Amino acid sequence: MHTRERIRKQGLAMDTRITIDVVTSRKDAAQVGQIIDDAMMAFYEVERACSRFDASSELMQLVARPGEEVVVSPLLLQTVSFACTIAELTDGRFDPTVGRRLQQLGFQRHYLTGTQLDTPEANVSDVSYRDIIVNKEASTITLAKPMVIDLGAVAKGFAIDLVAKQLVDFEGCIVDAGGDVYLSGHNEFDEPWRVGIQHPDDKGATIATLRLSDCAVCTSGDYERRSPIDKNAHHIVSPVNNSNQQQVRSATVVAPFAMMADALSTAAFVMGLPQGLQFLEECDVEGLLVSPDLSIEMTHQMRGYIDG
Amino acid sequence: MAKKMGNKLVAICTVALGAAYGAGYLVTKTPASASLLAVPSSLSNTTTASTTGTSGGSSSGKTLGSTFSSNSSSGSNSNSASTNSNATGSSSPSSGSQASGSTSSSSTSSPSTHTTSSSSSTAPATKTSAVKKSTPPAKAKPAVNTTSQYLDGTYQGSGSDAIGTVYVAVTVQGGKITNCQITQCDTHYPQSYIDPVLPQEVIARQSAQVDVVSGATGSSYDFAMAVQQALTQAQNPHYKG
């Protein structure tokens, strides 16, 4: 008889709660725990590179030097570059230069130290992803104007992918960073993973259940983080009018990578219905949008993932 | 057209991951020298991390590994606050940090019902302090650190939220917070048998909701109290920043 165990480790990183589950028939639970701990360090590596809340992060060091061509690490280069790609795809409706606006809305507090970081000299509206010049060959980024870049919709996904890549050899694993997840293999019952989609109005409930594996599932919702300054504002702002669209409550995306699912769910959320859904179809990913009346609209193939 | 965009994004993600790996990030990039210390594997990451701190000028850190397993006293966590002060040559540890240290000691020693790795993770501060005490020459050397807000080490804290009391272990290395583990939930799931499955288990399994929830509460503000408690102990009394 052969048993599988599910081993869990949790931590705090990137302003969220990280939960990593590994399914294994290995008996050396302590060793497996160490492997998980080691893998989890990727979150802190990415955080040190990409945090908007830490003045000493590589990102904020870059932000402090507008107009200069700055050599950056692969972590920052890849995340900024990917954010710009998504911005291009969405024609600027998704834009990483919303950082200053997020600061103004009160999203500028470091979750561990409580220190607040403001960049008042940065542009709020007169700036876009086109003012970010990425030179991949030289590994440099130049910010054409003073701005604050927010990688909140990309970096966490990237970190999830990096962690998951180190754990895919186990029979199964879940890397969950505050509701953005990557799942591989099977659960301890040898079934595909069951993923609930958070209900926008009921913390303890799910609005749909998916059954899938070897992919990422990310959800962007209006219910998650409210601005401490403007109660009607949340943490996902569209750069087009610098306010929140009201069309959907949440957007869920299933994609091969968490970085992709993370960014595309934010983009689809910002675009609302029906454009967000169309956009997901164009990007060849599956997704599900919850409208204000809590009805669900999904891409064509999404139904295949719905459980029951 | 449609499929091309999807392929393009997949390709970009693949390259991005490859670039991070190619640059030597991750892959067994354990807290640097942690593995060199040959710490018993039952001790968690927080343990090893705490012994590798260097910025405080405590070269004695290197010696920790050898004496590591010799000391297993518990409940002396309150020493950690004062020890850190000692390490920087202070003769007047702030009463605040000591107070919080002892608070934490009572709370961190309580989760004894958890796994061995979890309960042993409360030990590093204890051991650090014990070792440093036993090697007095080490504390004469280090210069007073005035540039780091936090002193290296692993600090415990606890706080309550909706799911009960939460225990965290915040690790500071080089004056920066390098990781923050939730030690309370560091537990093993009950073993489950693939074959044969008891009928009750099947039923329980089906009614058991889901493995994970996408879009679920991502906020860590519930943990702020626990983290702040830990960081109070980590404060560098000589910080001039």
Side-chain angles (χ1 to χ4, degrees):
Chain A
M1 188 167 61
H2 125 131
T3 65
R4 290 183 193 193
E5 211 179 344
R6 185 159 159 183
I7 297 171
R8 166 170 293 187
K9 289 275 192 170
Q10 291 193 305
L12 295 182
M14 306 180 93
D15 197 10
T16 201
R17 182 173 176 165
I18 313 293
T19 304
I20 298 180
D21 283 5
V22 156
V23 173
T24 181
S25 44
R26 284 172 60 164
K27 294 288 167 260
D28 51 346
Q31 298 284 1
V32 173
Q34 186 62 51
I35 292 171
I36 300 174
D37 284 344
D38 291 349
M40 201 185 285
M41 295 309 280
F43 278 104
Y44 299 100
E45 293 282 353
V46 175
E47 186 173 16
R48 269 190 289 279
C50 303
S51 172
R52 184 169 61 75
F53 305 94
D54 178 358
S56 66
S57 76
E58 206 188 349
L59 173 69
M60 294 314 282
Q61 295 286 315
L62 171 69
V63 161
R65 296 167 62 188
E68 288 178 55
E69 186 172 6
V70 180
V71 177
V72 298
S73 73
L75 297 184
L76 189 58
L77 187 79
Q78 296 298 333
T79 47
V80 170
S81 164
F82 189 74
C84 290
T85 301
I86 300 294
E88 228 168 89
L89 283 183
T90 60
D91 206 16
R93 276 171 289 185
F94 170 99
D95 195 317
T97 63
V98 295
R100 179 59 193 147
R101 177 71 189 133
L102 286 168
Q103 284 183 346
Q104 288 177 332
L105 284 170
F107 296 109
Q108 89 284 48
R109 203 168 172 279
H110 194 286
Y111 69 107
L112 290 179
T113 61
T115 52
Q116 307 209 348
L117 186 57
D118 263 310
T119 318
E121 65 277 14
N123 279 290
V124 178
S125 51
D126 185 28
V127 63
S128 84
Y129 70 95
R130 293 181 190 87
D131 300 311
I132 304 174
I133 299 130
V134 178
N135 184 337
K136 284 198 169 181
E137 286 69 38
S139 254
T140 64
I141 296 175
T142 310
L143 306 183
K145 294 176 182 171
M147 65 172 81
V148 179
I149 296 176
D150 179 75
L151 295 173
V154 173
K156 196 163 67 172
F158 191 47
I160 292 170
D161 287 331
L162 287 167
V163 173
K165 197 174 156 88
Q166 296 172 81
L167 301 174
V168 287
D169 288 340
F170 286 105
E171 282 109 308
C173 87
I174 299 181
V175 180
D176 172 9
D180 288 347
V181 300
Y182 186 91
L183 314 102
S184 77
H186 291 88
N187 65 18
E188 65 272 39
F189 304 95
D190 208 20
E191 308 156 340
W193 295 104
R194 289 181 81 186
V195 182
I197 307 298
Q198 177 65 45
H199 192 292
D201 291 328
D202 186 349
K203 243 182 183 311
T206 54
I207 198 162
T209 305
L210 314 178
R211 193 174 269 275
L212 36 67
S213 198
D214 300 320
C215 60
V217 184
C218 294
T219 299
S220 295
D222 67 357
Y223 51 84
E224 191 53 45
R225 294 182 190 197
R226 288 280 166 182
S227 163
I229 289 163
D230 177 354
K231 292 296 171 213
N232 290 318
H234 52 77
H235 71 296
I236 306 170
V237 299
S238 171
V240 171
N241 54 5
N242 265 328
S243 66
N244 306 309
Q245 59 84 32
Q246 297 289 337
Q247 267 189 295
V248 295
R249 302 297 314 279
S250 72
T252 298
V253 169
V254 177
F257 292 94
M259 180 158 72
M260 208 168 145
D262 197 358
L264 294 181
S265 67
T266 305
F269 178 85
V270 169
M271 294 167 124
L273 280 165
Q275 297 95 320
L277 218 48
Q278 265 167 23
F279 173 69
L280 295 181
E281 297 275 13
E282 281 166 22
C283 291
D284 197 25
V285 296
E286 304 311 319
L288 164 166
L289 273 62
V290 179
S291 62
D293 66 2
L294 298 180
S295 63
I296 293 176
E297 306 241 5
M298 58 182 99
T299 56
H300 291 111
Q301 309 291 320
M302 186 67 184
R303 203 162 295 281
Y305 293 123
I306 302 284
D307 189 44
Chain B
M1 180 63 200
K3 302 290 167 192
K4 275 182 197 158
M5 204 189 272
N7 289 343
K8 181 185 167 192
L9 290 175
V10 168
I12 293 175
C13 288
T14 308
V15 168
L17 276 178
Y21 270 86
Y25 283 93
L26 329 163
V27 203
T28 65
K29 192 179 179 185
T30 32
S33 49
S35 54
L36 301 177
L37 294 174
V39 176
S41 59
S42 64
L43 296 175
S44 76
N45 181 351
T46 55
T47 305
T48 57
S50 76
T51 64
T52 57
T54 51
S55 95
S58 57
S59 54
S60 62
K62 295 284 185 286
T63 66
L64 292 179
S66 54
T67 48
F68 212 85
S69 52
S70 62
N71 194 319
S72 62
S73 68
S74 62
S76 56
N77 202 15
S78 56
N79 287 339
S80 68
S82 55
T83 301
N84 279 304
S85 307
N86 283 342
T88 56
S90 162
S91 57
S92 59
S94 78
S95 57
S97 66
Q98 277 199 325
S100 67
S102 52
T103 308
S104 148
S105 120
S106 57
S107 56
T108 51
S109 56
S110 58
S112 53
T113 52
H114 299 302
T115 63
T116 43
S117 70
S118 140
S119 60
S120 64
S121 72
T122 64
T126 302
K127 286 169 181 170
T128 306
S129 61
V131 170
K132 282 184 180 158
K133 272 180 187 168
S134 66
T135 54
K139 82 176 178 186
K141 279 192 175 181
V144 174
N145 176 350
T146 58
T147 53
S148 301
Q149 186 179 0
Y150 303 116
L151 296 170
D152 289 2
T154 296
Y155 304 90
Q156 319 288 329
S158 63
S160 295
D161 79 346
I163 65 162
T165 302
V166 172
Y167 300 88
V168 301
V170 179
T171 300
V172 177
Q173 264 180 283
K176 309 275 303 177
I177 298 165
T178 52
N179 86 44
C180 177
Q181 283 210 333
I182 299 170
T183 51
Q184 187 226 20
C185 299
D186 194 2
T187 118
H188 292 183
Y189 272 62
Q191 288 204 346
S192 45
Y193 297 87
I194 298 299
D195 172 44
V197 183
L198 298 172
Q200 292 92 327
E201 283 187 357
V202 176
I203 293 160
R205 173 68 195 155
Q206 283 172 347
S207 59
Q209 290 279 4
V210 291
D211 293 300
V212 64
V213 178
S214 176
T217 195
S219 170
S220 59
Y221 292 114
D222 291 334
F223 297 95
M225 203 198 327
V227 172
Q228 284 309 314
Q229 192 186 59
L231 286 180
T232 307
Q233 306 158 56
Q235 283 294 342
N236 181 355
H238 302 285
Y239 180 52
K240 300 227 193 313

